[in-house]
Amino acid sequence: MVRNTAHCIGKLQDCANARSVSIQWGRWSMDVMLHLGAHRSASTSFQKYLWTNRVRLAKRGLTSWTPKRTRDGLMAGMVRRPALITLEDERNAVRSVGRIRVEIERLERAGQNGLLISEENLIGTMSNNVADAQLYPLLNERLMRFSPAFEGRKLRIGLGIRSYEAYWASCLSRLVRRGLQMPSVDFLDFLTTQPRRWRHVIRDISTTFPDADLFVWPFERMAGSPDRQLGALWDGDCQGLEGRDVWRGRSSDVWQMNEILALRGEAPIATGLLETKARWMPFDDEQKAVLRAEYRGDLAWLADGAQGMATFIDGRPTPARYSEATQVNGQRMPEIRPDRADVTRTSVKNAVPLRGRQNGIEEGLGRSGAS
C-alpha cells in the first residue's frame, strides 16, 4: 500500500511530538553531525577512517555511526524512494525515529559530547540517480523523514561534491560492475543536460534543515584528507588518529572494466594498447567542457557565500612545506604542488574516453564500499 509522502512525514512527526512530552529537549548539549556524502566523493574512505578510530574517538567524546551501524536495522524503513513507500515502511520508520532518539539520549547520558552519522544513502542512491538521470531527485522528501529524529538539536551537516564528469563516470563504472549496461550516447547527453546541480542539492538540504550549519568541500582537494573532513564537522581533538591516507572504493580502471565486459560477452571499451591504470571517461570533449563549466559555476557560487545556505571549505593547500631542492639565491622556497581542484583527475593523459560510441536501507545493505 503506497502512502502519500506528506502523510508519512506527519506520522513521523507525531511520533516525535509524542516522545517530546516527557523529554526536555532544550537541556541537551550533545552535538549531532550528519555526513551526507555525496557518493563517489571519498565517503567510503571517510567512513573507514571513522571506523578505524572509533575507540579513540569515543574516548575523546565522539561516537561515530557508519554504514556498519546505520545499515544494521537502525534506520529500517527510513531510507526509501518516496514514491515507493509502503505502510510497512511507514511503521518501521516510526519505530526507527524513536530508536535513534533513544540512542542519542543514551550516548549523552554516557558522557559523549558528539555524534557523527555518516550515511550517504540518506540523500538517495547511485542507482536512483542513474535510473532518473538526475542528481539526487526528491531530496527534500527523503531528508524530511529524518527531521523528527533530530528535533530540538543543532545540526552540523557535511557534504562533499565532485566535478560532474568524474562523478557520473565513477557512478557508472561502479554500476556497470554490478550489471548495468554500458551507457549510450543519448544517456550521456541526458546526464550532461540534466537540470539538477550541486547548487540545487545544497538548497534542498538547507530548506529541510534551515537551522543547521552546512559545510561543503570539493572532492578534488579533500578526498585524501579524512582528518580535515572530520575537523570541519567536529571541534574536538583530531590529532594522532590512524588511517589518514586510506582510500577505499575507487572506481575501476579500463583494464578492470574490460575484464568485466569480457566475462559478460560484451565488446571492450577501447581496442589497442592501453596504459596500466588508465581511467575510463565515457563523456566526449564537448560534454566534459559543459560539465566542468557547470562545476566551476558551483564552486564560484559557494565561494561567494552560497546565499547564506552553506559554508564552503575550499581545501586549498597552503605552501607551508619546504624542499631542500627548491632554493633561490641560497633561500629555501615553498614547495609547489598541483591543485587537484584546478586539474581534475579525468584530464590526465591516460584517461580513456568512450566518447559515447560504445536490511533496512534501500541499496547496498551490508556492502562495504557501496559509496
Side-chain angles (χ1 to χ4, degrees), residues 109-355:
R109 288 196 300 270
Q112 295 291 281
N113 54 41
L115 169 64
L116 172 54
I117 304 172
S118 180
E119 174 54 78
E120 62 273 30
N121 283 353
L122 265 63
I123 59 176
T125 66
M126 288 186 295
S127 297
N128 287 158
N129 286 352
V130 170
D132 294 332
Q134 287 197 47
L135 188 68
Y136 299 108
L138 301 176
L139 180 53
N140 277 117
E141 289 82 351
R142 284 180 175 274
L143 290 180
M144 284 175 64
R145 295 175 62 77
F146 288 85
S147 296
F150 309 118
E151 183 189 8
R153 295 186 179 274
K154 181 69 174 180
L155 293 179
R156 293 183 181 179
I157 300 176
L159 178 72
I161 62 176
R162 187 175 184 178
S163 187
Y164 294 108
E165 83 284 357
Y167 170 81
W168 286 116
S170 187
C171 288
L172 291 170
S173 170
R174 195 78 181 181
L175 294 174
V176 166
R177 292 182 60 182
R178 299 180 187 176
L180 182 74
Q181 291 184 343
M182 292 292 286
S184 66
V185 177
D186 288 342
F187 185 71
L188 293 173
D189 281 337
F190 289 151
L191 293 182
T192 302
T193 59
Q194 65 90 29
R196 285 181 60 81
R197 304 298 179 189
W198 294 120
R199 282 163 282 187
H200 300 94
V201 171
I202 291 166
R203 287 190 182 102
D204 286 347
I205 296 172
S206 178
T207 300
T208 308
F209 298 107
D211 297 324
D213 293 327
L214 174 57
F215 300 92
V216 181
W217 55 79
F219 164 89
E220 294 79 10
R221 294 195 185 114
M222 298 281 279
S225 304
D227 53 334
R228 294 168 68 194
Q229 296 178 40
L230 177 59
L233 294 173
W234 187 48
D235 294 331
D237 181 10
C238 302
Q239 301 299 317
L241 301 178
E242 296 181 0
R244 287 181 295 176
D245 56 350
V246 67
W247 198 332
R248 295 297 183 93
R250 294 191 184 193
S251 57
S252 302
D253 58 38
V254 173
W255 285 108
Q256 294 168 329
M257 293 281 287
N258 279 338
E259 288 178 350
I260 295 168
L261 294 175
L263 290 174
R264 287 160 44 171
E266 300 179 20
I269 290 174
T271 58
L273 182 63
L274 300 175
E275 296 183 41
T276 304
K277 302 300 182 182
R279 313 309 301 178
W280 173 55
M281 174 47 59
F283 298 98
D284 63 28
D285 290 339
E286 291 183 0
Q287 292 167 334
K288 286 189 292 183
V290 170
L291 293 171
R292 288 177 180 173
E294 291 283 356
Y295 186 55
R296 287 195 297 270
D298 288 334
L299 295 180
W301 177 75
L302 283 162
D304 196 39
Q307 297 177 308
M309 289 182 258
T311 299
F312 182 45
I313 301 176
D314 180 272
R316 190 181 297 274
T318 55
R321 295 178 57 193
Y322 291 86
S323 171
E324 296 292 344
T326 56
Q327 297 202 13
V328 176
N329 297 329
Q331 295 183 343
R332 291 187 303 179
M333 303 299 293
E335 181 181 11
I336 300 176
R337 290 172 289 172
D339 188 344
R340 293 178 62 209
D342 294 334
V343 183
T344 62
R345 293 177 62 186
T346 55
S347 66
V348 297
K349 66 178 181 179
N350 64 347
V352 177
L354 180 62
R355 297 186 182 276

Side-chain angles (χ1 to χ4, degrees), residues 24-33 61 104-105 107-109 111-115 151-156 234-235:
Q24 299 295 325
W25 290 107
R27 65 186 175 88
W28 299 123
S29 59
M30 188 174 75
D31 294 327
V32 177
M33 294 145 275
I104 291 176
E105 296 168 35
L107 290 171
E108 192 157 37
R109 288 196 300 270
Q112 295 291 281
N113 54 41
L115 169 64
E151 183 189 8
R153 295 186 179 274
K154 181 69 174 180
L155 293 179
R156 293 183 181 179
W234 187 48
D235 294 331

